[in-house]
């Protein structure tokens, strides 16, 4: 997709924010993007300019939404994808939002023809492993969460980092409605919830994600990973905090800022 001149300014602003580690002024660009397609085109252009991916699609993604009709997607820069336990002190993070999630890993390659035919059950059958994950939410925009929705989408859905736990085999019959999650941030009281995924189950994002990634002919390779939406909404940490996220029966993730 060819970018308009003002959309190209969004690309330039985001690239500069990544390089300088200083947030960009989003106010002048609030109306710069007019569609999801433009937001996704900016994601792609930023990643290409910063050298995050080659010709093949990114192999780690975030995908999620409050309903099946509002799922959106973002490819993640590989430097911020870490294994637990992780020290994130070297990353240029500012707002330190915490989302407790379950990541899924593809066991086979998927092309556009295959993706087009998938329902949720068929897509879930292509997944070979799952892991507890923590997405750190951050923004390259000065106004962060108050920036225009399409600017947040263009900024990788406000992605800061992703920490992955140990991969374990998929359990097709797992009762996600009963799944318990516990988050400990620093010395604060733990946050606990049960069955609180916004779509009911992490596999709900798979058909939309696979069709999105392959929509222009790319083949998503086996081993690609998607993190699938927060069970706890958005929690907040501070510099120096240790964070632990545990899902009963799935494992845990530990990180420190």
């Amino acid at each position: 997709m060819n970018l308009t001149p003002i959309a190209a300014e969004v690309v330039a602003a985001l690239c500069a924010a990544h390089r300088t580690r200083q947030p960009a002024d989003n106010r002048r660009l609030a109306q710069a993007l007019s569609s999801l397609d433009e937001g996704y085109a900016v994601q792609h252009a930023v990643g290409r300019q910063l050298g995050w991916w080659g010709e093949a699609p990114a192999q780690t993604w975030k995908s999620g939404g409050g309903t099946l009709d509002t799922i959106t997607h973002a490819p993640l820069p590989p430097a911020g994808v870490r294994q637990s336990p992780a020290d994130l002190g070297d990353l240029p993070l500012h707002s330190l939002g915490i989302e407790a999630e379950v990541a899924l890993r593809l066991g086979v390659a998927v092309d556009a023809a295959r993706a087009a035919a998938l329902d949720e059950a068929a897509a879930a059958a292509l997944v070979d492993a799952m892991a507890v994950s923590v997405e750190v939410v951050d923004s390259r925009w000065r106004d962060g969460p108050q920036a225009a929705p399409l600017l947040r989408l263009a900024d990788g859905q406000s992605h800061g980092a992703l920490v992955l736990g140990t991969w374990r085999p998929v359990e097709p019959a797992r009762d996600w409605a009963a799944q318990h999650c516990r988050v400990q941030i620093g010395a604060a009281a733990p946050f606990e919830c049960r069955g609180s995924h916004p779509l009911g189950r992490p596999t709900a994002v798979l058909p939309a994600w696979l069709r999105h990634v392959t929509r222009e002919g790319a083949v998503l390779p086996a081993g690609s990973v998607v993190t699938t939406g927060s069970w706890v909404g958005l929690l907040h940490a501070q510099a120096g905090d240790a964070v632990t996220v545990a899902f009963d029966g799935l494992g845990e993730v530990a990180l420190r800022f």
Side-chain angles (χ1 to χ4, degrees), residues 148-168:
L150 288 174
L151 290 183
R152 299 199 303 270
L153 176 68
D155 183 29
Q157 289 188 358
S158 302
H159 171 73
L162 179 69
V163 182
L164 295 166
T166 301
W167 292 105
R168 56 178 292 126

Side-chain angles (χ1 to χ4, degrees), residues 3 5 39-40 63 75-76 81 97 103 108 138 149 167 218 233 237 248 254:
L3 294 173
Y40 290 133
S63 187
L76 307 186
V81 179
V108 298
D138 197 23
W167 292 105
D248 287 0

Side-chain angles (χ1 to χ4, degrees), residues 2 8 36 45 56 58 65 69 76 126 144 153 173 178 186 195 197 204 209 223 231 242:
N2 292 326
L36 289 175
D69 294 330
L76 307 186
L126 305 180
L153 176 68
H197 189 277
W209 170 59
W231 293 68

Side-chain angles (χ1 to χ4, degrees), residues 20-89:
T20 65
R21 301 190 170 194
Q22 297 298 318
D25 186 351
N26 54 281
R27 290 168 294 181
R28 186 176 60 82
L29 299 170
Q31 306 303 317
L33 306 178
S34 60
S35 68
L36 289 175
D37 284 344
E38 277 197 310
Y40 290 133
V42 170
Q43 288 179 358
H44 179 75
V46 170
R48 291 296 300 275
Q49 288 197 24
L50 295 177
W52 291 341
W53 319 295
E55 293 300 321
Q59 287 192 255
T60 308
W61 292 73
K62 63 177 290 185
S63 187
T67 68
L68 291 175
D69 294 330
T70 59
I71 297 172
T72 52
H73 322 275
L76 307 186
V81 179
R82 309 285 175 89
Q83 287 297 131
S84 174
D87 185 340
L88 304 183

